Amino acid sequence: MSTLPPCPKCQSEFTYEDGTMLVCPECAHEWAAGEAAEAGDKVIKDSNGNPLADGDTVTVIKDLKVKGSSLVVKRGTKVKNIRLVDGDHDIDCKIDGIGAMGLKSEFVKKA
């Protein structure tokens, strides 16, 4: 009998294989078998799938309206020295002419 790793989310020992994925029946979390060791480190990726890190420079890929303002962050705007954070908007940065704001990683690409 093979021993499967516990669920990285809820630590349940009742995991099972479903094709190439491992599944937890208690919290419904699914992950790849090799992914279990890296579960503690959340990797934030840009719109092209490239991993991002603190201090990277990114380019905005879509015009983004700034909530509560009439300002717009135009497509092609370069944002330097980003900082990765947890939450819905996973990038904190300062944009010239606008100031400090949060961006979602799905709307940027690594420069």
Side-chain angles (χ1 to χ4, degrees):
M1 182 174 170
S2 67
T3 58
L4 297 174
C7 174
K9 205 170 201 179
C10 70
Q11 301 304 318
S12 171
E13 56 189 48
F14 301 111
T15 57
Y16 63 92
E17 288 180 294
D18 185 20
T20 60
M21 302 293 287
L22 295 174
V23 181
C24 174
E26 293 183 6
C27 70
H29 180 65
E30 295 183 11
W31 71 99
E35 194 178 307
E38 305 167 7
D41 297 330
K42 181 180 176 190
V43 177
I44 297 175
K45 297 183 178 183
D46 69 357
S47 62
N48 295 331
N50 299 320
L52 296 173
D54 286 344
D56 281 347
T57 299
V58 295
T59 304
V60 178
I61 63 167
K62 176 182 174 182
D63 287 352
L64 301 172
K65 294 180 183 178
V66 178
K67 192 172 186 177
S69 172
S70 62
L71 298 173
V72 175
V73 179
K74 294 288 188 180
R75 187 177 101 201
T77 302
K78 281 200 172 195
V79 181
K80 298 177 184 176
N81 199 18
I82 64 169
R83 188 169 49 108
L84 302 178
V85 295
D86 290 332
D88 187 32
H89 292 75
D90 37 24
I91 298 173
D92 273 349
C93 60
K94 285 185 181 177
I95 298 178
D96 292 337
I98 296 175
M101 67 180 307
L103 295 173
K104 291 186 177 184
S105 58
E106 61 200 50
F107 297 121
V108 299
K109 68 177 181 179
K110 196 170 187 175

